[in-house]
Amino acid sequence: MGTAGTLLKSARQAHGLTQSALAQRAGTYQPRIAQVEHGTHEPSAERLSNLLAATGQRLTALPTTARPAVEVGADIAGHLARQDFDRAFREVIQLSDDLARATRDVRVALVVTPPASTGDRRFDALLAGVVEHHLRKGRLPIPGWLRQSWRSLELPWHVDDNPFTQDLSAKDSLPGPLRHGVVLAASELASV
């Protein structure tokens, strides 16, 4: 799925719209929406802007080359579908690096659009926790999608499955991920 498809699907799902409902609002046909979402048709910027407007969202350029959380989430889902957990985790590390380097305004803009589920609740919680970590660290506004219950785990997940570090206590974990049920030391977010 391309960037246009990722943005459109995320916007549609965030507003609880079916492809048919979006097509009706946008004055097009459901198969065209499906083609964009699956990456078999790349719309022009103007057409994508119109489709997003039908969901109540706007297409905007940001002064950064960093990928927004919505794209990172889609890439994580792709890696998990291929059972490539290392690459999925590297996506989280890259997002963390990008958020750490971004200016305050760009940091908020990169995470304001809610990512769709990655297909793995652990990674949904990890992604939300890392985003929350960087926003709270910068004393920035927290978007509502971070409070969705399905983005948190009931039982804690120790990201590092090394038996020697399983005793990492809550006081040693980053608070953002911990709020989402993810036990994660700062050193685990270090670039590799």
Side-chain angles (χ1 to χ4, degrees):
M1 179 182 327
T3 300
T6 299
L7 291 174
L8 185 60
K9 184 176 182 179
S10 177
R12 178 180 63 75
Q13 289 178 336
H15 295 302
L17 297 171
T18 64
Q19 288 181 347
S20 296
L22 175 57
Q24 185 175 13
R25 282 184 177 192
T28 190
Y29 301 98
Q30 180 274 329
R32 181 57 74 179
I33 302 296
Q35 290 172 335
V36 172
E37 288 186 4
H38 288 92
T40 58
H41 173 75
E42 281 293 322
S44 67
E46 180 180 9
R47 184 64 182 141
L48 178 59
S49 182
N50 291 337
L51 290 171
L52 288 171
T55 71
Q57 292 192 12
R58 177 181 205 100
L59 183 63
T60 304
L62 294 175
T64 182
T65 58
R67 291 174 305 140
V70 65
E71 283 184 46
V72 173
D75 289 343
I76 289 170
H79 295 309
L80 292 174
R82 292 184 296 282
Q83 297 192 356
D84 191 344
F85 297 100
D86 289 339
R87 295 273 317 263
F89 188 69
R90 287 178 199 279
E91 294 285 353
V92 175
I93 292 171
Q94 184 61 57
L95 176 64
S96 179
D97 288 348
D98 289 344
L99 293 175
R101 282 192 297 268
T103 60
R104 293 169 51 84
D105 53 343
V106 170
R107 191 177 314 162
V108 171
L110 287 172
V111 301
V112 72
T113 302
S117 175
T118 63
D120 184 323
R121 285 209 49 195
R122 296 171 306 168
F123 276 87
D124 292 336
L126 175 61
L127 183 62
V130 167
V131 167
E132 185 168 334
H133 165 70
H134 285 286
L135 293 177
R136 287 194 187 276
K137 187 176 177 181
R139 297 181 184 195
L140 298 168
I142 305 296
W145 66 266
L146 289 175
R147 290 184 285 282
Q148 294 172 315
S149 62
W150 61 270
R151 296 187 192 271
S152 293
L153 301 171
E154 291 178 22
L155 297 175
W157 175 39
H158 289 257
V159 175
D160 184 355
D161 59 5
N162 182 336
F164 296 106
T165 60
Q166 284 295 314
D167 63 348
L168 178 71
S169 68
K171 69 178 181 60
D172 299 321
S173 178
L174 290 171
L178 190 59
R179 274 190 275 285
H180 292 271
V182 179
V183 180
L184 180 75
S187 61
E188 293 178 86
L189 282 182
S191 295
V192 287

